[in-house]
Amino acid sequence: MIAIIDYKAGNLGSVARAINHLGFECRITHNAKELLGADRVIFPGVGSAGQAMQDLKRMDLDQAIYDLYESGKPFLGICLGTQIILEESEENQTACLGLLPGTVKRFPMPLLSDGGKYLKVPHMGWNQVKLKRLHPVFKDVAPESEFYFVHSYFPAPKGVETIIGTTEHGITFTSVLGKRSLIAVQFHPEKSGPPGLTILKNFCLWEV
Amino acid sequence: METVRIMPCLDMKEGRVVKGIHFVDLKDAGDPVENASFYQREGADELAMLDIAATVENRKTRLEWVKNVSSVIDIPLTVGGGISTLEDIDLVLEAGADKISMNSAAVKDPDLVRDAAKRFGSARITVAIDARRNNEMPSGFELVVSGGRKPVGKDAIEWAKRCQELGAGVILPTSMDGDGTQKGYDLEYIKAISDVVDLPVVASGGAGKLEHFYEGVVMGGAQILLAASVFHYRLISIREVKEYLRGKGLMVLLP
């Protein structure tokens, strides 16, 4: 069974629907025991880092997330879930979970494209991911695939060894990161059409 | 180059989709779930639903249709109309919306924008800014509220800047002079907004022909193109718009 961590941070229904659509069973839960009993876990989230950390702590889910990461079960972070696995976020100066070394930064302003055009923040819309290394979760995903992004802050992991893919939005930022059983994406695979579904399917089948 | 997104909008009243001209004269036109799935199949990048008769007794109905619609689509859903408290936002997001849009309530209580952005994240907070032309305003655009009926005596462009400072994530400008007319977006107004904010801008109000969409991006500076009647009455399909924009050299996502 695949568990989706429920900490009142956003649209979990669409993640669950995508997983079910792919023919896998999943459960949205905030029960730590149930999470630890799952085969694999999805950590979604939209919203602000400060509020998310507050909610995770209030619901005693921070410890469960450390334990899940340590257990080596496949773990997928999405959007805000991807950001708060790092150590600290510039958003409300929030201390985060620290599963991976690094911080979460805000896009600098002004932000200019290659052609000198002003770019907008939040980075909202379709964009590509350039893979820095192969990863089983990105199997059969065409390089030019576009994914749906909505964010004002981006992951800035320390060191290059956790960087799996990058995206351009005025600057080059890490849009996919991971280590061992952990894979985390800044975009929303559940809102990214066929390539997003491929990623979710690969994750559901991933043997670490 | 940024990908331009097409956002059909469903105007809602008592759980049904309606569409009017100049914000009045409503005509019943359908079931929200059917319309939403139709648009997704047609290649919409996002969907907006605007509750134009958002009375207190209507709020429960709203949560129902948000839930029903969000469960049949997987494109981002923005819900607006009558959202005036943090609790309203919480419930609508909980029901399955990805973003909310507020309008009059933000004008009445700007702190609501700040608090909402802090609690739910800027990316989920859209501020819709309705305006009409008024030469007494420094920018020539006066802010109006209550579905376009009530002028506020404030400059709409100044208000857009203020919304960005407060933490809004998207600005959705609609000109009362253009809405529902299908004569084209009010490019002057949209450009005035996109020039002063660093946020994504949704061009809204007045799209009726293929050229209008192109103008919204190139002359208005918008990233997202919203339209209601032209899609609603099936005058143009979303695919036609996207193919047209691609032919003009803009980037779009064609399924």
Side-chain angles (χ1 to χ4, degrees):
Chain A
M1 202 267 299
I2 300 161
I4 299 171
I5 305 179
D6 176 16
Y7 59 110
K8 304 289 164 219
N11 201 342
L12 307 177
S14 51
V15 179
R17 225 168 24 251
I19 299 293
N20 288 331
H21 172 78
L22 290 164
F24 298 92
E25 265 182 64
C26 65
R27 191 169 297 166
I28 298 173
T29 178
H30 53 78
N31 180 315
K33 217 171 141 190
E34 199 165 18
L35 286 171
L36 290 162
D39 305 317
R40 51 194 79 224
V41 177
I42 299 176
F43 185 35
V46 282
S48 76
Q51 184 72 37
M53 282 308 298
Q54 219 175 306
D55 290 339
L56 282 175
K57 284 184 189 152
R58 182 174 49 79
M59 299 166 86
D60 284 326
L61 288 172
D62 46 343
Q63 188 56 46
I65 291 171
Y66 295 122
D67 295 345
L68 278 166
Y69 177 58
E70 288 303 322
S71 75
K73 286 177 185 169
F75 187 107
L76 171 67
I78 297 175
C79 195
L80 184 65
T82 288
Q83 297 181 358
I84 59 182
I85 59 169
L86 292 161
E87 292 164 306
E88 202 189 342
S89 174
E90 279 183 8
E91 190 175 15
N92 322 118
Q93 301 306 323
T94 306
C96 299
L97 295 164
L99 302 185
L100 296 182
T103 59
V104 181
K105 294 199 161 90
R106 193 171 203 286
F107 281 108
M109 299 304 293
L111 197 58
L112 293 167
S113 71
D114 281 349
K117 199 178 155 253
Y118 282 98
L119 295 174
K120 303 286 181 163
V121 174
H123 171 219
M124 199 179 269
W126 302 97
N127 208 334
Q128 296 184 351
V129 171
K130 199 171 176 184
L131 286 184
K132 295 287 155 191
R133 55 191 170 93
L134 295 174
H135 193 285
V137 166
F138 276 79
K139 188 175 159 267
D140 301 328
V141 175
E144 64 280 7
S145 301
E146 301 253 348
F147 300 97
Y148 191 79
F149 287 83
V150 187
H151 61 127
S152 308
Y153 295 80
F154 61 86
K158 203 185 275 168
V160 293
E161 62 278 10
T162 57
I163 301 175
I164 294 170
T166 60
T167 294
E168 306 277 336
H169 184 65
I171 56 165
T172 302
F173 68 92
T174 301
S175 50
V176 185
L177 62 162
K179 192 181 173 179
R180 301 199 308 257
S181 59
L182 169 69
I183 175 95
V185 296
Q186 177 58 60
F187 55 84
H188 287 272
E190 78 281 12
K191 302 237 172 238
S192 296
L197 288 177
T198 304
I199 285 173
L200 290 174
K201 185 176 162 214
N202 289 338
F203 173 75
C204 293
L205 298 169
W206 183 26
E207 297 296 335
V208 180
Chain B
M1 206 196 308
E2 274 183 288
T3 310
V4 176
R5 281 124 66 207
I6 307 297
M7 186 186 223
C9 176
L10 302 176
D11 286 351
M12 301 290 300
K13 192 185 179 189
E14 285 147 19
R16 300 285 291 172
V17 183
V18 292
K19 180 64 206 172
I21 293 177
H22 291 300
F23 278 41
V24 286
D25 187 20
L26 302 169
K27 196 163 151 187
D28 191 314
D31 173 64
V33 171
E34 272 170 38
N35 276 277
S37 10
F38 172 79
Y39 286 140
Q40 162 148 319
R41 278 198 307 277
E42 260 213 320
D45 296 296
E46 306 210 9
L47 182 70
M49 297 185 79
L50 187 63
D51 193 355
I52 55 169
T55 53
V56 174
E57 55 278 21
N58 201 16
R59 284 188 188 160
K60 254 201 192 131
T61 328
R62 174 168 69 200
L63 295 179
E64 266 166 49
W65 57 252
V66 171
K67 209 169 160 192
N68 294 340
V69 166
S70 70
S71 66
V72 297
I73 59 169
D74 47 30
I75 50 175
L77 171 66
T78 301
V79 173
I83 289 181
S84 54
T85 63
L86 288 175
E87 201 203 348
D88 287 341
I89 300 175
D90 201 14
L91 290 171
V92 168
L93 294 174
E94 180 100 340
D98 297 281
K99 298 180 230 178
I100 62 92
S101 170
M102 51 180 144
N103 191 333
S104 310
V107 175
K108 205 167 154 196
D109 175 18
D111 283 342
L112 180 63
V113 180
R114 192 200 321 261
D115 295 343
K118 208 164 171 190
R119 173 141 165 220
F120 305 106
S122 287
R124 292 206 275 181
I125 309 301
T126 298
V127 179
I129 304 182
D130 296 345
R132 61 167 196 184
R133 281 188 163 63
N134 179 348
N135 289 333
E136 283 164 29
M137 295 291 134
S139 70
F141 296 100
E142 182 181 18
L143 185 58
V144 296
V145 294
S146 300
R149 287 187 295 271
K150 213 167 118 194
V152 179
K154 279 188 188 158
D155 190 299
I157 307 302
E158 283 306 313
W159 172 235
K161 283 195 231 173
R162 178 91 183 101
C163 289
Q164 167 160 322
E165 288 162 16
L166 289 165
V170 181
I171 303 291
L172 193 159
T174 307
S175 163
M176 291 307 101
D177 306 324
D179 186 69
T181 61
Q182 295 175 22
K183 286 181 180 153
Y185 295 117
D186 188 333
L187 298 169
E188 275 179 55
Y189 176 49
I190 291 162
K191 177 80 165 65
I193 295 266
S194 62
D195 276 350
V196 297
V197 297
D198 301 314
L199 307 171
V201 171
V202 185
S204 155
K209 286 189 192 160
L210 289 170
E211 300 89 287
H212 296 156
F213 291 91
Y214 180 70
E215 292 165 358
V217 178
V218 176
M219 290 153 78
Q223 285 69 41
I224 305 169
L225 302 165
L226 180 147
S229 34
V230 68
F231 294 140
H232 193 75
Y233 297 121
R234 314 286 187 252
L235 302 175
I236 304 180
S237 74
I238 293 170
R239 176 163 275 276
E240 274 177 276
V241 174
K242 287 190 162 183
E243 278 168 358
Y244 177 82
L245 294 178
R246 177 176 280 182
K248 287 276 207 175
L250 296 179
M251 250 170 69
V252 291
L253 204 69
L254 272 165

